[in-house]
DNA sequence: CTGGGGTACGTGAACGTTCACGGTATAATA
DNA sequence: TATTATACCGTGAACGTTCACGTACCCCAG
């Protein structure tokens, strides 16, 4: 009844096409790869016949030929090792099946945004074929990305997007969804109505603005069970974030919930502790790092929205490799569904970052 | 300063080993693959030299030779198309890079547990090299799995485990964590204390018992904010489930939360509707299928624990392939972290089942 | 001494694709 | 007409690995 979608017949190769048309394999090769030196008519005949026979290129044979392996450089910070190492693991994992056709070179900068320009220039000079970066300072990277585009070196952004850069794609947790999930969780965690606050990094970044939009959309959808009374820009300066958090807490003694949309949630937690309100306020944070773990265990942080670095790494490398190998372009943006990490799944997540 | 972990040197191949030792490539091949017809001494010399030079086999070349491609059969039900199709997509996606060395044949049985034995026998008879199955009736599959093991045909279980079967590994959402997440969510969703109920499939299955354990562990950790007052075995008969749900609802007029740990949550929802208690009770369900979507949108289902079929498929095929290709054994059990699906991330999940 | 059987190893042809090179037409120029 | 240029296409060698086959050698029975 059901059409058999898998004819386990002998796979048809380039030679089969050549024999069927009475041409040589060289001609078929030229036709299939848009190379010069072939009549437009025969090219079309080859393409038609290839489609008719259901030709699928043998990736193994193709890669066998290319002695000069594809080189991709990966530029990531060292700062939050647990997070970035997971990302690297994902990249390594995805790259493994293609060795040694594909070789991945990891280069680190100390912190997000520090020294990334130098790494970028060095990579371009060394003649890599592709690049995976976590853009800390998109503005500084923009001219470099144009130079890369000029030499046909594709770039994949991970974790955060740099929409103004010339990039092949970006892989990240969808910020709107991240904010929306945080908003829904916070709404539901409140017993009845209550005031909540939103702590962000710098709203200039498109990502953070999107998170806020998603957050507000969820509050709306949840019938305004929660009132957003404060949006605090914490920047990424620890001291400033701490002081602003204190100010916000004092200004809103009835606060029942907090979402920290930036990775820098520790200053807010310290402020909560200082004011003796840990555990009395539902806190949702972003990402996961060692210092956050005890807070989750203790219940001071109800949930954290995790950006799934392993999957990001896997998908980033897969997209980049497919483009370098086949020329197939990925969607402009690859959005992952973020994980909700709570006390109950924390251990499993720490065990194997999946 | 930092040790360069990637020497972009020319990859060392089987010929390099042969030349270094003054033997032929055939001898190196025999040594590396435990084949007969080689002196134990030279085998060791080859292995040592291979390790010293850092030999990594070129997968492309290896697969090129094997004209007889590896055949794996995938046996999945048709029943809940949205779920099983996602699983199939994950398998296809993971298999794509290895075509045509690896050919995947999909066979369907109408519902979970129906006709799986026949499919299994047919697959063994047809001489497949590996099998991916969702065991509906582990007891019936057990003797077959031994026959498969006797002929060295590895089996990978997905979605649910069959620990008594001879299987290479199983890929599934960790049931303890699934239950624990549900328990934590439900605890936090309740405004203050409250009674909750646990609806399961048949507790005989190891998976469901594990879910209950995880669920109870979470209630304990959440300081008993919620009281588990009822554990209902709904079986998978729609009518029986519906009647039992009605009974449970009537017996507990103060019920504030429900977790349905089996995929069959619709009878429970119908019972809730019948008694006019939809929306008054926090409901957490399992998995995702079209009929559940409007309930999530309406807020009648606060969250559903999603088993991530795409990832399951990907990982199942990857593990099976690695074993068939390299002989590397995966861990006995591969546990995925389940997704928490709510209104806020439902759309993204429906869009691209990631 | 011959021969048969075993062990240990070398040899070379494939696998499907790519690419540089060479060849053969036809067209343009001297 | 002879020469050169151009467009198109065929040829064959590689890529790294595997496998069937061939060969050299040693041991021992006939």
């Amino acid at each position: 009844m059901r059409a058999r979608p898998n004819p386990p017949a002998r796979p048809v190769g380039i030679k089969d096409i050549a024999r069927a048309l009475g041409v040589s394999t060289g001609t078929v090769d030229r036709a299939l790869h848009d190379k010069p030196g072939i009549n437009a008519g025969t090219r079309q005949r080859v393409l038609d016949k290839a489609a008719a026979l259901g030709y699928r290129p043998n990736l193994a044979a193709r890669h066998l030929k290319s002695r000069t392996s594809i080189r991709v450089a990966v530029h990531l910070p060292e700062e939050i090792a647990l997070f970035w190492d997971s990302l690297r693991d994902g990249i390594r994992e995805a790259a493994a099946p293609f060795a040694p056709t594909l070789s991945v070179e990891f280069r680190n900068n100390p912190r997000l945004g520090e020294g990334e320009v130098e790494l970028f220039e060095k990579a371009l000079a060394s003649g890599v074929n592709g690049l995976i970066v976590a853009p800390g300072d998109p503005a500084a990277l923009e001219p470099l990305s144009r130079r890369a585009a000029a030499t046909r070196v594709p770039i994949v952004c991970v974790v955060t997007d740099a929409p103004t850069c010339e990039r092949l794609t970006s892989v990240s947790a969808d910020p709107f969804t991240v904010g929306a999930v945080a908003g829904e969780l916070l709404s539901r965690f409140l017993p009845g109505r209550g005031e909540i606050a939103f702590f962000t990094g710098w709203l200039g970044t498109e990502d953070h603005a999107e998170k806020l939009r998603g957050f507000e959309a969820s509050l709306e959808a949840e019938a305004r069970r929660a009132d957003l009374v404060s949006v605090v820009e914490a920047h990424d300066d620890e001291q400033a974030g701490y002081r602003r958090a204190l100010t916000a807490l004092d200004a809103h003694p009835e606060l029942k919930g907090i979402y920290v949309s930036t990775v820098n949630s520790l200053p807010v937690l310290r402020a909560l502790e200082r004011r003796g309100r840990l555990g009395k306020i539902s806190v949702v944070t972003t990402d996961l790092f060692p210092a956050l773990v005890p807070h989750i265990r203790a219940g001071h942080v109800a949930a954290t929205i995790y950006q799934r670095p392993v999957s990001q790494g896997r998908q980033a490398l897969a997209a980049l490799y497919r483009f370098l190998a086949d020329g197939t372009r990925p969607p402009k943006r690859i959005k992952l569904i973020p994980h909700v990490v709570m006390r109950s799944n924390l251990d499993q997540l720490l065990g194997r970052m999946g």
Side-chain angles (χ1 to χ4, degrees), chain A residues 5-88:
Chain A
N6 11 44
R10 179 178 157 294
V12 28
I14 206 178
K15 292 186 181 176
D16 300 309
I17 304 175
R19 203 175 321 114
L21 290 174
V23 297
S24 73
T25 62
T27 304
V28 176
D29 181 56
R30 279 182 281 263
L32 292 175
H33 296 88
D34 271 10
K35 293 186 186 174
I38 185 175
N39 186 315
T42 49
R43 160 174 298 157
Q44 197 53 50
R45 287 198 307 143
V46 170
L47 292 179
D48 290 346
K49 183 59 84 178
L53 294 180
Y55 166 73
R56 309 251 51 182
N58 187 322
L59 277 301
R62 194 205 304 266
H63 294 152
L64 187 54
K65 272 302 290 180
S66 57
R67 174 144 205 81
T68 94
S69 64
I70 300 174
R71 288 174 55 211
V72 323
V74 179
H75 298 171
L76 297 177
E78 297 175 329
E79 191 181 357
I80 306 174
L82 187 64
F83 183 82
W84 298 108
D85 279 348
S86 305
L87 195 48
R88 279 181 268 259

Side-chain angles (χ1 to χ4, degrees), chain A residues 243-255 271 275 277:
Chain A
R243 281 194 306 269
R244 280 166 188 256
L246 284 180
T247 311
L249 286 176
D250 294 339
H252 301 283
E254 290 300 315
L255 205 62
R275 290 292 187 261
R277 293 168 78 177

Side-chain angles (χ1 to χ4, degrees), chain A residues 30-205:
Chain A
R30 279 182 281 263
L32 292 175
H33 296 88
D34 271 10
K35 293 186 186 174
I38 185 175
N39 186 315
T42 49
R43 160 174 298 157
Q44 197 53 50
R45 287 198 307 143
V46 170
L47 292 179
D48 290 346
K49 183 59 84 178
L53 294 180
Y55 166 73
R56 309 251 51 182
N58 187 322
L59 277 301
R62 194 205 304 266
H63 294 152
L64 187 54
K65 272 302 290 180
S66 57
R67 174 144 205 81
T68 94
S69 64
I70 300 174
R71 288 174 55 211
V72 323
V74 179
H75 298 171
L76 297 177
E78 297 175 329
E79 191 181 357
I80 306 174
L82 187 64
F83 183 82
W84 298 108
D85 279 348
S86 305
L87 195 48
R88 279 181 268 259
D89 284 345
I91 294 176
R92 256 187 287 266
E93 187 185 318
F98 305 117
T101 308
L102 172 69
S103 84
V104 184
E105 304 167 15
F106 291 95
R107 286 85 176 265
N108 303 342
N109 45 337
R111 312 170 119 258
L112 191 64
E114 277 180 28
E116 58 183 0
V117 174
E118 290 80 356
L119 278 185
F120 206 115
E121 291 193 331
K122 218 178 285 180
L124 283 188
S126 85
V128 299
N129 305 103
L131 224 45
I132 296 179
V133 298
D137 185 358
L141 246 42
E142 201 178 322
L144 285 171
S145 78
R146 304 210 184 287
R147 260 178 50 199
T151 51
R152 305 237 167 279
V153 175
I155 300 170
V156 174
C157 295
V158 287
V159 181
T160 170
D161 195 7
T164 60
C165 288
E166 295 270 348
R167 51 168 186 66
L168 177 63
T169 184
S170 85
V171 180
S172 64
D174 177 38
F176 186 91
T177 304
V178 169
V181 168
E184 183 169 6
L185 283 174
L186 223 39
S187 295
R188 289 214 174 252
F189 285 168
L190 297 187
R193 299 185 61 85
E195 297 181 347
I196 61 178
F198 184 102
F199 284 72
T200 177
W202 68 101
L203 276 175
T205 307

Side-chain angles (χ1 to χ4, degrees), chain A residues 295-354:
Chain A
H295 282 112
I296 298 174
R297 286 242 161 75
H300 300 152
V301 169
T304 190
I305 315 293
Y306 190 57
Q307 306 197 51
R308 302 175 59 198
V310 181
S311 294
Q312 284 197 36
R314 235 187 349 234
Q315 301 222 30
L317 189 109
L320 183 55
Y321 180 73
R322 266 196 290 265
F323 177 73
L324 289 171
D326 304 327
T328 57
R329 301 192 79 90
K332 298 198 199 324
R333 243 196 113 154
I334 298 175
K335 299 175 176 182
L336 303 210
I337 295 166
H339 261 149
V340 176
V341 180
M342 304 185 298
R343 176 155 50 189
S344 49
N345 56 7
L346 178 63
D347 285 324
Q348 205 196 341
L349 201 99
L350 291 176
R352 296 172 308 98
M353 294 284 175

Side-chain angles (χ1 to χ4, degrees), chain A residues 199-203 232-238 240-241 244 262 264 267:
Chain A
F199 284 72
T200 177
W202 68 101
L203 276 175
V232 184
E233 284 195 44
H235 290 286
D236 281 331
D237 177 357
E238 299 256 335
R244 280 166 188 256
T262 178
N264 203 5

Side-chain angles (χ1 to χ4, degrees), chain A residues 267-290:
Chain A
V268 180
L269 290 169
R270 276 206 305 274
L272 277 167
E273 189 172 17
R274 175 73 183 275
R275 290 292 187 261
R277 293 168 78 177
L278 268 182
K280 303 189 189 305
I281 294 184
S282 293
V283 180
V284 173
T285 62
T286 303
D287 274 329
L288 187 60
F289 42 92

